Amino acid sequence: GAVVSQHPSRVICKSGTSVKIECRSLDFQATTMFWYRQFPKQSLMLMATSNEGSKATYEQGVEKDKFLINHASLTLSTLTVTSAHPEDSSFYICSARDFRRDPEKLFFGSGTQLSVL
Amino acid sequence: AQSVAQPEDQVNVAEGNPLTVKCTYSVSGNPYLFWYVQYPNRGLQFLLKYITGDNLVKGSYGFEAEFNKSQTSFHLKKPSALVSDSALYFCAVETGSTLGRLYFGRGTQLTVWP
């Protein structure tokens, strides 16, 4: 079946540094990818919609200068957490739809646990 | 605004017993409803969906869910629980006006003991 690969699975960084997370659709083209954030024992919160070849659409309250999204190709979207701070520590998950196989189903990456010291 | 409520943080059942994980929703427009399961340190896996048609939908691993429009509910059920069903379950909603953007409940931790 369709697979979404997310890398890295875990990253620890110092406060003030930037971290890039990659999300790839392995066997299908994804014109749209979604980035979610999950705090411990809480729900997934949609952060932004990544659109191939155009600017991302951010949900209300999400700082677009803080969470930079780039969707340069049909199989790759990246999320860069800029000048990370401890409050940015969270589990980040990407997802994508394979519109040819099943447009109603989202496939999720395995997530990235970010810890900012 | 779209929202999903999962009133139980935790559900505990004995293996072999039926299980129910509750979900209610609030949307403007017709809802598209989903259940996903998450294992520790993993992404989410799709279980089942309701888009239109029969109110009872069957999904992966023997799970099913019933769409109840009058009660705005979409409870997840399984007739006989397995220890391997223990995981975190999320209900999610999408509408025509928010197509592609899922809104999730806070999740329910299911524990099935032997």
Side-chain angles (χ1 to χ4, degrees), chain A residues 34 38 43 59 97 102 104 109, chain B residues 34 43 49 94 100 104-105:
Chain A
F34 304 91
Q38 184 181 26
S43 183
E59 295 297 304
R97 270 195 166 85
D102 186 344
E104 297 158 349
Chain B
F34 303 80
K49 65 184 178 185
E94 180 184 39
F104 285 83

Side-chain angles (χ1 to χ4, degrees), chain A residues 66-116:
Chain A
K66 174 75 170 176
F67 299 99
L68 298 179
I69 291 173
N70 185 281
H71 196 152
S73 76
L74 285 170
T75 59
L76 174 64
S77 174
T78 61
L79 168 68
T80 301
V81 183
T82 62
S83 187
H85 291 285
E87 58 265 30
D88 298 325
S89 299
S90 189
F91 193 60
Y92 294 87
I93 308 176
C94 69
S95 66
R97 270 195 166 85
D98 180 354
F99 282 95
R100 281 179 294 182
R101 277 200 186 86
D102 186 344
E104 297 158 349
K105 186 187 297 184
L106 268 180
F107 293 96
F108 284 84
S110 55
T112 299
Q113 182 65 54
L114 171 63
S115 300
V116 185

